[in-house]
Amino acid sequence: QVQLVESGGGSVEAGGSLRLSCRASGFPFSRYYLGWFRQAPGKEREGVASIDTSGRSTYADFVKGRFTISKDNAENTLYLQIDSLEPEDTAVYYCAAGHARIGSYSLLHRIHYPHLGQGTQVTVSS
């Protein structure tokens, strides 16, 4: 079955960086749409970044050039590099995967990703 295991979260000061990883198994990694979502306390889960089967990436507006999504098909691993961290980035970050694009929704929409990992906590202090 599909398994997504995130790692790399932690507690950092504002301005710092983190690299999140998501180790995937149980599906043809290179042929799936992949994404990162986050959920802050008291807020809804939101799409952060996505990467399609051709390697094209999409980012949420609030990323402001600070996040970079990438993947290693040989290692079945998805990454999210986060630089210039802000306290507002504090959230649980989830890795997501889906085999097909649904309609014309943005690839940051949850509808494309039936599979979600357990999440990794990112805490940014000011």
Side-chain angles (χ1 to χ4, degrees):
Q1 70 276 22
V2 172
Q3 286 195 321
L4 301 166
V5 180
E6 301 94 336
S7 61
S11 296
V12 297
E13 292 186 352
S17 298
L18 284 173
R19 189 192 196 200
L20 308 184
S21 299
C22 173
R23 181 76 177 180
S25 61
F27 64 97
F29 183 81
S30 65
R31 298 205 296 269
Y32 267 53
Y33 292 87
L34 304 165
W36 287 97
F37 288 76
R38 71 182 187 184
Q39 188 165 18
K43 295 188 176 181
E44 292 189 358
R45 191 170 296 163
E46 59 183 354
V48 172
S50 69
I51 188 166
D52 68 14
T53 56
S54 297
R56 287 184 294 262
S57 55
T58 302
Y59 295 96
D61 289 342
F62 61 77
V63 164
K64 294 178 288 188
R66 300 180 297 118
F67 293 21
T68 304
I69 189 171
S70 62
K71 63 176 180 172
D72 185 331
N73 288 334
E75 295 293 330
N76 284 5
T77 302
L78 179 71
Y79 300 100
L80 185 69
Q81 176 70 37
I82 313 175
D83 299 317
S84 302
L85 276 157
E86 303 171 350
E88 292 75 22
D89 296 320
T90 295
V92 178
Y93 284 71
Y94 300 89
C95 172
H99 72 281
R101 183 166 189 168
I102 308 300
S104 59
Y105 291 96
S106 162
L107 282 175
L108 298 177
H109 196 292
R110 179 72 176 86
I111 194 171
H112 306 291
Y113 308 97
H115 308 291
L116 209 65
Q118 292 300 306
T120 185
Q121 176 71 46
V122 172
T123 303
V124 185
S125 59
S126 57

